Amino acid sequence: MADEPAISVDQLTKRYKETLAVDRISFQVGRGEFFGFLGQNGAGKTTTIKMLCGLLKATSGQMRVAGRDVVNDPLAVKAHIGILPETIDTFDRLTGFELLNFAGLMYGLREDEVRRRATVLLDLVDFDPMDREKLVIDYSMGMRKKVALACALIHGPEVIFLDEPFNGIDALTTAAIQRVLQSLVAKGVTIFFTSHTLEVVAKLCTRVAIIDRGALRAMGTVPELAKLVGAEGASLTEIYEKTLGKVTKTGDIDWVKAAAGPTSHVASPTTVPGPASDEPKTEPPAL
Amino acid sequence: MRHLRLLFWLRWKYMWRAAWSRRATMVVGWMMSILIALVAAFFIYVLLSKAREDEVPSDVFSEYLALGFAFLYLGWIYFSSLSDLFDPQKLAGYPIPPRTIFIGSCLSTVMGQMPVYAGAIWVALALGWPAPAWPVTMMRALLFVVMIAQLVMVSRLLRLTFLQFLTSRRWRDIAMIMGAIIGTSFYLLWNLVRSNSAAVQDVLQRVSGAAERHAISTWLCWMPSTWFAKSFEGDGMVPALATIGAIVSTVVISWLGGKAEETLAFSEPVFSYTPKKRKLEGGPPRFLRGLTGTIGRLFGGEIAAVARKEAVLLARDPVVRSRLIIIAFYYVIMLFLPAITGRGGVKMPGSMSGFVILFIEMQLLLNIFGTDGVALKAMAAMPVKRLKVVLGKNLCYGLFFLPVNLVLIATYNAFHAPEELRVLPVELAVHASSFLALLGAGSLFSVFLPVRVITPGQRIQRTESDETWLTGWARMGALMGLGVLMAPIGVLRWLMPQLPVGWVGHAAVIAGALVYGVALYAAGAWLAGKALAAREERLIGRFASA
């Protein structure tokens, strides 16, 4: 089992009536990889993640995650993976600490061990004692993401699936989560990751796959992909555009221009007065 | 067991949090609930301890059970709650078997009702429970809880099956629906199917005879657990057949329930609405464009736009669609057909049929801003008077529901009381008047007491428990107030057959009823429009945070 890839997918297909959401994709992800899974909205990323996590039944194909067969034994797979979904829908009338305890016990950990891990994890995601005792419903989007990430880590998963983990959260929280993820990869945990922020993908991921309309278009390291599209040294954004063959549309919304009238300019302040300054205060310009 | 224990803990936490919420309004909700629980507990005690001694007629016991059955099956429509605290989506990521989710959800719901049953014991003690009755009565109370648990399981299975039906239309799911409906099939067979087969008649007669001999409601005689509970009423012996029946049925129900949870947990929510090519090219159907065009000419473009949007959503929104299917299922099969065929069901007077329809439709009529608040947010950004939004939505509901209701009432009355058909126009006018009044009240409810039902894809989740709870009570109180307002029309309708009035009198009553209904509606809609402008921000906030 130790020699086996962390994720192994063979001819995976998902069909909804006439719509082919995922079309016979095959790939493998090694243990300890930070794997980026890219694609436009509706390309099939989330559907693939859900199937790999045992949350959605595949129409056909084989999947093995953490050495277990997803189709035949989804519960065993769930016991060895962590999931951070795009939208955090959880038991929001529990406190963050209670939610972590609940998650740990659901994974079969001992109560004292759950408490220890919950304390460590909440500290890691920078929750102060007050935050821990607040109800999840009162958390900001960033705090929800962080507590959900802690829930995904409490049982020591071998593989972690992250669906748009940085969507809608602030820069500091993004940086904090990135640091946690990088430390996990350093310990041999596999991370399967989707994001629309290509700079983050380029920074974190060891390998990248691009999916388009359910089919896998390209896979490899960023230099390999650049070579593949004949643009060596290109950024991931350029590779992405070339792989998908998309051209950004431009057009003139003439009625907006007509209604807004001629352009006027407002001078920007060169400095912003601080609150403790003795200088006479100037009002910021009206926007 | 570990998972079940955690689910119970979760339920307990939610109940506790709801109880100790800092909001003062919660106190009112709790006090009302405790009051209701005490009253229910008292009745349970009286029925369980006295029925054996024939101090209470045995059919009262049956009727009480029938009432409990009706509450379990219909109450969730009123409260707009699927009791989905353990939404499969929230638990799907954990290594928990779907059947455990099903059983845990059902048992923890029963646990939530335990204060009522425990209350029965306290009431009994307070009243000086006679010592000799202790063991038997305790046993009965326990079996009653077992029976309630099984009813809750069947109820949840039916709900999940509906949701499955909306999520997927594959043959497997149809088979699942059939499996769930098996629970009610005895009832339906019993009350609706007129088979000429001697064997079928014989079986039905035997079941019927046994139910009558044991004073068991025909509503419940298809549930093996009913016989199981009933079997303890005599000398405390357990007939083997009843016990085996209860165990087998529980296993079958939990197996089907596990399958239903699994299907939902593994089903990507996909809207089954697929735009047809001609629709892509031409927009809404021609009749809808014609209808909204007429509305536009009569009331203005904004009202027509709101009404058109609402009509399209009525057809496409999975929440609305599920409500309509449920209305059809419960109303037509469980109430309407038995009543007009004269077999089983509720034998309600003709004049009551319209009110039953309104009760079942109430959930839609009282939530005109939809179920998730999205529409409200969109409307807030538009430069349109709030009264016009209310009018547009009401118009759509009125045009959609009122004609259907009138046809149903006319059909019901024609079967139920053909000799009273001369007062049918009055009957219809009273319904139209009540409908208008409810529509006006619904607009006010939607602004002051909205209930949120969120729907990720095709799934429906319950709104937060405390909100549903309090809103439910508040709505009940407000609806009683509406009942008082409608009393003059009701009294007039009641007196009609006795009054020696000719067609002029009938016409006057019809006109009076309609004018009264329009006036109540206008007042409700106008107030709702005013209040909406003031409360919009708070409403959107509530939808967002619930």
Side-chain angles (χ1 to χ4, degrees):
Chain A
M1 207 179 274
D3 302 333
E4 207 177 313
I7 301 169
S8 175
V9 174
D10 185 27
Q11 296 290 305
L12 184 62
T13 303
K14 181 69 189 180
R15 178 182 283 280
Y16 300 108
K17 294 182 183 171
E18 292 84 31
T19 310
L20 198 55
V22 175
D23 185 11
R24 291 167 295 155
I25 61 172
S26 301
F27 62 88
Q28 291 188 337
V29 179
R31 290 180 183 267
E33 265 199 82
F34 205 131
F35 189 80
F37 200 54
L38 306 183
Q40 293 180 290
N41 292 329
K45 302 187 298 296
T46 301
T47 305
T48 304
I49 285 192
K50 283 188 170 174
M51 286 192 286
L52 290 173
C53 295
L55 299 176
L56 184 63
K57 278 187 178 159
T59 306
S60 63
Q62 302 294 317
M63 297 171 281
R64 287 183 71 79
V65 173
R68 280 104 186 152
D69 191 309
V70 182
V71 176
N72 295 323
D73 200 358
L75 293 186
V77 170
K78 287 176 189 177
H80 292 87
I81 63 171
I83 309 164
L84 181 63
E86 185 181 4
T87 48
I88 311 295
D89 185 19
T90 190
F91 299 104
D92 48 16
R93 294 280 168 175
L94 298 182
T95 66
F97 193 71
E98 284 171 347
L99 184 63
L100 266 182
N101 271 281
F102 173 77
L105 293 170
M106 287 293 278
Y107 284 112
L109 299 175
R110 280 199 336 270
E111 203 144 351
D112 52 345
E113 182 60 14
V114 172
R115 284 181 180 279
R116 189 185 73 80
R117 292 188 188 188
T119 308
V120 172
L121 282 168
L122 288 174
D123 192 46
L124 188 70
V125 294
D126 210 20
F127 271 38
D128 62 33
M130 285 285 282
D131 294 334
R132 293 171 197 204
E133 299 309 320
K134 275 186 193 168
L135 296 185
V136 174
I137 197 169
D138 295 325
Y139 285 174
S140 65
M141 169 87 89
M143 289 172 83
R144 279 175 177 240
K145 285 258 178 185
K146 287 200 277 193
V147 81
L149 178 65
C151 285
L153 298 178
I154 196 158
H155 56 298
E158 295 170 37
V159 183
I160 301 173
F161 291 90
L162 307 167
D163 194 3
E164 308 282 359
F166 307 122
N167 201 3
I169 58 174
D170 64 76
L172 282 179
T173 308
T174 301
I177 292 179
Q178 282 182 20
R179 275 197 297 277
V180 173
L181 297 178
Q182 282 172 319
S183 73
L184 291 171
V185 171
K187 288 184 175 185
V189 174
T190 308
I191 292 182
F192 191 95
F193 168 74
T194 76
S195 176
H196 290 300
T197 317
L198 299 182
E199 294 77 12
V200 176
V201 176
K203 178 183 160 192
L204 296 175
C205 295
T206 46
R207 232 156 37 103
V208 173
I210 299 173
I211 187 172
D212 182 36
R213 280 170 285 183
L216 210 55
R217 297 284 176 224
M219 188 164 62
T221 61
V222 174
E224 283 171 353
L225 291 179
K227 204 170 173 183
L228 205 68
V229 296
E232 286 183 56
S235 70
L236 186 55
T237 308
E238 290 165 328
I239 295 168
Y240 187 65
E241 282 178 346
K242 280 184 182 289
T243 304
L244 298 182
K246 304 281 179 187
V247 181
T248 311
K249 287 181 182 172
T250 54
D252 183 21
I253 307 170
D254 55 346
W255 62 92
V256 172
K257 202 173 177 181
T263 311
S264 62
H265 295 280
V266 179
S268 300
T270 50
T271 56
V272 178
S277 170
D278 291 327
E279 299 284 318
K281 291 186 177 168
T282 44
E283 290 294 320
L287 295 174
Chain B
M1 277 310 286
R2 184 184 73 239
H3 287 138
L4 271 182
R5 191 166 53 87
L6 281 165
L7 295 184
F8 287 157
W9 173 84
L10 200 57
R11 172 72 77 173
W12 169 248
K13 273 285 171 192
Y14 267 63
M15 283 170 61
W16 187 253
R17 295 266 145 80
W20 294 104
S21 167
R22 269 167 289 190
R23 278 178 284 178
T25 46
M26 275 309 305
V27 177
V28 180
W30 254 94
M31 284 171 65
M32 290 186 71
S33 297
I34 289 169
L35 190 69
I36 297 287
L38 280 175
V39 172
F42 178 76
F43 274 108
I44 289 172
Y45 161 72
V46 170
L47 290 169
L48 287 177
S49 61
K50 303 290 183 188
R52 188 186 173 203
E53 299 154 24
D54 291 334
E55 288 179 24
V56 175
S58 54
D59 58 336
V60 173
F61 187 77
S62 299
E63 292 306 319
Y64 178 79
L65 292 182
L67 197 66
F69 168 86
F71 177 76
L72 282 170
Y73 281 78
L74 298 174
W76 64 286
I77 299 176
Y78 175 73
F79 286 103
S80 186
S81 161
L82 289 176
S83 293
D84 268 353
L85 175 61
F86 308 131
D87 173 25
Q89 268 198 325
K90 288 185 182 174
L91 290 167
Y94 298 110
I96 174 172
R99 198 182 308 170
T100 308
I101 299 178
F102 178 77
I103 294 171
S105 182
C106 293
L107 293 186
S108 63
T109 300
V110 176
M111 193 180 85
Q113 297 167 347
M114 281 312 285
V116 174
Y117 309 127
I121 295 169
W122 286 111
V123 170
L125 288 172
L127 292 174
W129 202 337
W134 255 100
V136 174
T137 311
M138 282 293 285
M139 183 61 81
R140 279 192 212 156
L142 182 69
L143 292 169
F144 186 76
V145 174
V146 171
M147 193 187 71
I148 293 290
Q150 206 187 56
L151 284 176
V152 169
M153 286 168 78
V154 174
S155 175
R156 181 170 174 82
L157 178 57
L158 278 171
R159 295 169 207 178
L160 291 175
T161 308
F162 275 125
L163 296 186
Q164 280 186 100
F165 181 68
L166 294 164
T167 303
S168 165
R169 292 170 194 270
R170 285 171 292 182
W171 285 107
R172 188 192 63 192
D173 291 330
I174 292 172
M176 197 73 74
I177 288 171
M178 294 311 294
I181 290 177
I182 278 173
T184 51
S185 61
F186 263 115
Y187 169 80
L188 294 175
L189 270 174
W190 176 250
N191 291 298
L192 300 176
V193 177
R194 294 168 187 269
S195 170
N196 292 324
S197 160
V200 172
Q201 288 296 333
D202 186 47
V203 169
L204 292 179
Q205 284 301 328
R206 279 170 188 273
V207 176
S208 159
E212 279 174 17
R213 276 197 303 281
H214 292 91
I216 288 176
S217 163
T218 49
W219 285 63
L220 290 168
C221 65
W222 49 271
M223 288 289 294
S225 58
T226 311
W227 296 90
F228 180 56
K230 190 73 185 175
S231 67
F232 277 81
E233 280 197 6
D235 53 7
M237 299 296 289
V238 186
L241 200 62
T243 310
I244 291 168
I247 292 169
V248 169
S249 62
T250 303
V251 170
V252 170
I253 292 164
S254 56
W255 182 82
L256 286 170
K259 284 283 171 198
E261 298 274 10
E262 190 179 0
T263 305
L264 281 175
F266 281 118
S267 300
E268 179 79 358
V270 176
F271 285 87
S272 59
Y273 172 75
T274 313
K276 290 176 185 162
K277 202 172 179 183
R278 60 181 172 79
K279 284 189 180 173
L280 282 175
E281 289 162 358
R286 191 180 296 170
F287 86 91
L288 191 57
R289 276 180 293 172
L291 187 64
T292 49
T294 310
I295 293 173
R297 280 189 292 279
L298 290 173
F299 301 100
E302 294 110 321
I303 293 178
V306 173
R308 179 192 281 195
K309 177 232 128 194
E310 210 62 21
V312 169
L313 283 188
L314 272 178
R316 292 180 196 162
D317 187 343
V319 175
V320 177
R321 203 165 56 226
S322 72
R323 297 265 157 209
L324 295 179
I325 291 173
I326 289 160
I327 285 169
F329 181 81
Y330 281 113
Y331 183 74
V332 175
I333 295 180
M334 302 293 277
L335 297 171
F336 193 71
L337 277 180
I340 63 172
T341 57
R343 307 185 64 170
V346 177
K347 308 283 194 305
M348 57 194 167
S351 55
M352 279 299 290
S353 60
F355 291 104
V356 172
I357 299 178
L358 286 183
F359 177 81
I360 295 178
E361 287 171 356
M362 204 162 58
Q363 199 44 247
L364 281 174
L365 300 181
L366 301 191
N367 279 312
I368 63 167
F369 298 119
T371 49
D372 55 6
V374 171
L376 197 58
K377 282 182 207 166
M379 294 291 181
M382 292 176 186
V384 56
K385 279 188 179 171
R386 298 305 176 242
L387 179 60
K388 289 185 176 179
V389 174
V390 172
L391 288 175
K393 282 171 175 283
N394 286 167
L395 253 176
C396 173
Y397 282 90
L399 290 172
F400 185 82
F401 284 110
L402 191 54
V404 175
N405 292 1
L406 295 180
V407 169
L408 283 175
I409 293 166
T411 313
Y412 181 85
N413 278 268
F415 278 93
H416 183 80
E419 69 282 359
E420 286 188 20
L421 276 182
R422 73 182 184 90
V423 288
L424 184 61
V426 177
E427 197 79 80
L428 298 179
V430 167
H431 179 80
S433 175
S434 309
F435 184 90
L436 286 169
L438 187 67
L439 211 54
S443 304
L444 281 173
F445 278 106
S446 306
V447 175
F448 288 100
L449 297 165
V451 169
R452 178 187 191 242
V453 183
I454 48 175
T455 165
Q458 298 261 2
R459 296 191 187 97
I460 303 170
Q461 293 175 324
R462 62 180 272 160
T463 169
E464 291 302 323
S465 58
D466 52 346
E467 283 189 357
T468 311
W469 204 12
L470 180 65
T471 307
W473 292 126
R475 284 177 170 215
M476 211 174 275
L479 282 169
M480 284 177 190
L482 181 67
V484 173
L485 277 176
M486 290 307 294
I489 299 290
V491 170
L492 209 55
R493 158 69 190 91
W494 183 62
L495 290 174
M496 279 305 285
Q498 280 89 44
L499 294 176
V501 290
W503 67 270
V504 177
H506 276 80
V509 170
I510 290 169
L514 289 176
V515 167
Y516 190 64
V518 168
L520 285 181
Y521 168 72
W526 184 79
L527 284 173
K530 286 277 176 204
L532 179 59
R535 292 176 56 89
E536 203 161 62
E537 194 178 337
R538 197 188 308 179
L539 269 176
I540 292 171
R542 177 170 176 171
F543 276 126
S545 66

